[in-house]
Amino acid sequence: MKRFECGTLVPGCDWHTRAEEEAEVTRRAVEHMRATHGEDVIRPSMVDHIKERIRDEQPNPA
């Protein structure tokens, strides 16, 4: 499972998402940037910054 926390890119933002695939996490993060943070143009560098911050989520021990 992959996880992205927006606060690692936009300080103070509590939004996060997770999905099995990095591509889906990236897609959701880009949509969040547009809808919440008013980013009309998502530059390749922004996508790179998002991807740099995607982490593998560790499963909770049972």
Side-chain angles (χ1 to χ4, degrees), residues 1-4 51-57:
M1 187 70 69
K2 306 291 186 183
R3 180 180 176 98
F4 171 76
K51 287 181 177 181
E52 289 169 0
R53 289 163 172 81
I54 294 174
R55 300 288 179 246
D56 287 324
E57 189 172 64

Side-chain angles (χ1 to χ4, degrees), residues 2-21:
K2 306 291 186 183
R3 180 180 176 98
F4 171 76
E5 296 182 21
C6 189
T8 64
L9 188 58
V10 180
C13 184
D14 293 332
W15 183 87
H16 64 274
T17 190
R18 63 183 174 193
E20 290 294 329
E21 301 295 326

Side-chain angles (χ1 to χ4, degrees), residues 35-51:
T36 303
H37 299 297
E39 296 289 338
D40 293 331
V41 177
I42 304 294
R43 294 183 177 12
S45 61
M46 174 66 76
V47 175
D48 290 342
H49 290 308
I50 290 169
K51 287 181 177 181

